[in-house]
Amino acid sequence: MKVLVVEDEEALKESIVAYLRQEGYACEAAIDYRSAMLKTASYTYACLVVDLTLPGGNGLDIVRSVKENQPDTGIIIISAKNALDDKIMGLEVGADDYMTKPFHLSELNARLKSVLRRRNFNGQKVLRVGEVEVHPEAAEASVAGKKLALTRKEYELLLYFASNRNRVLTKESIAEHLWGDHIEMLDSLDFVYTHIKNLRRKIMETGVEDYIQTVYGLGYKFMSP
């Protein structure tokens, strides 16, 4: 899942990003209001972790903009302020949660999982499509009870497919989900085909039919055969 951390305190930003990447998230960062607005206008994120006090603007305005344009995006506000008014205002403009600094990174991860489960998985801890099961909190997947040995990118791709079952996903949207704003540095999107080919092979090696349907001229659809 792709997460954007908006935090101007360099040490805290780096520690959050490193921890979340270690936990399997595709994590990006913005250090001020302007860069955060540019990123949220250009890319889609599963969740934002947003500080309120930023150089160049207010984190609440970022929350308002994201909720207006990408209402399904989860948002956790982090702030050194413990004022009740700030917390109420943040939740009223659309934030899902509010954490006061300092906090433990493990607690942030737990809150993040809770927000993603509510918003992306309808509260489910396991995503099932036919005989395919994806366990987001454990970052594991299985087919007909057989655990899949997936690379991180293959797992992220499968989770993205399972979260958008029966929907056509373009190659561009898949690339953005897997690589975020680093997509601009890539010469081509051929790596998307490679990851899909490898994921398709590993699923079918368990003895089931092909779950990844190619929709010619549009993209790919993940559905039970």
Side-chain angles (χ1 to χ4, degrees):
M1 304 300 287
K2 193 163 61 168
V3 176
L4 177 65
V5 176
V6 185
E7 170 60 61
D8 66 310
E9 186 181 332
E10 185 68 22
L12 178 58
K13 182 202 71 175
E14 290 298 327
S15 63
I16 293 175
V17 169
Y19 183 86
L20 293 182
R21 284 178 178 169
Q22 182 181 318
E23 291 296 308
Y25 297 97
C27 194
E28 300 171 13
I31 60 171
D32 55 30
Y33 176 84
R34 181 176 179 275
S35 60
M37 290 296 282
L38 286 173
K39 282 180 176 288
T40 54
S42 303
Y43 305 103
T44 301
Y45 297 92
C47 191
L48 268 64
V49 179
V50 186
D51 191 2
L52 287 184
T53 307
L54 296 166
N58 192 315
L60 287 176
D61 292 328
I62 297 172
V63 176
R64 291 188 183 95
S65 174
V66 170
K67 298 313 291 186
E68 180 179 341
N69 297 292
Q70 301 174 22
D72 292 335
T73 299
I75 295 179
I76 298 175
I77 289 176
I78 56 174
S79 178
K81 300 178 180 180
N82 195 22
L84 180 60
D85 289 346
D86 287 326
K87 184 172 184 178
I88 291 174
M89 179 65 72
L91 296 174
E92 284 184 344
V93 299
D96 296 276
D97 207 343
Y98 187 108
M99 297 183 67
T100 303
K101 301 177 186 178
F103 51 79
H104 291 289
L105 295 177
S106 57
E107 181 183 1
L108 173 62
N109 188 31
R111 302 270 192 110
L112 183 56
K113 287 180 178 179
S114 178
V115 169
L116 292 173
R117 189 164 59 242
R118 291 198 307 269
R119 288 201 163 271
N120 297 87
F121 312 136
N122 297 318
Q124 304 173 78
K125 289 192 174 183
V126 180
L127 300 182
R128 294 184 177 87
V129 182
E131 293 185 89
V132 176
E133 291 190 355
V134 183
H135 300 255
E137 294 191 5
E140 295 179 349
S142 62
V143 180
K146 302 173 185 176
K147 186 176 178 180
L148 293 177
L150 303 176
T151 65
R152 174 169 290 186
K153 290 300 181 187
E154 289 165 0
Y155 169 76
E156 290 175 2
L157 175 60
L158 179 56
L159 179 60
Y160 188 48
F161 271 138
S163 302
N164 293 276
R165 71 200 74 175
N166 301 321
R167 296 180 183 174
V168 176
L169 301 176
T170 66
K171 184 183 288 187
E172 290 75 16
S173 70
I174 294 171
E176 181 189 324
H177 180 78
L178 293 179
W179 288 96
D181 53 8
H182 298 297
I183 187 177
E184 297 173 354
M185 298 185 292
L186 300 175
D187 295 328
S188 73
L189 299 182
D190 290 345
F191 74 92
V192 172
Y193 173 73
T194 300
H195 285 313
I196 288 175
K197 181 181 70 173
N198 291 338
L199 178 60
R200 174 184 276 137
R201 173 179 55 80
K202 289 181 179 181
I203 291 176
M204 294 181 69
E205 282 177 348
T206 65
V208 300
E209 295 183 45
D210 193 1
Y211 276 69
I212 303 173
Q213 307 299 315
T214 301
V215 183
Y216 292 99
L218 294 176
Y220 302 91
K221 183 188 292 187
F222 193 80
M223 57 190 297
S224 182

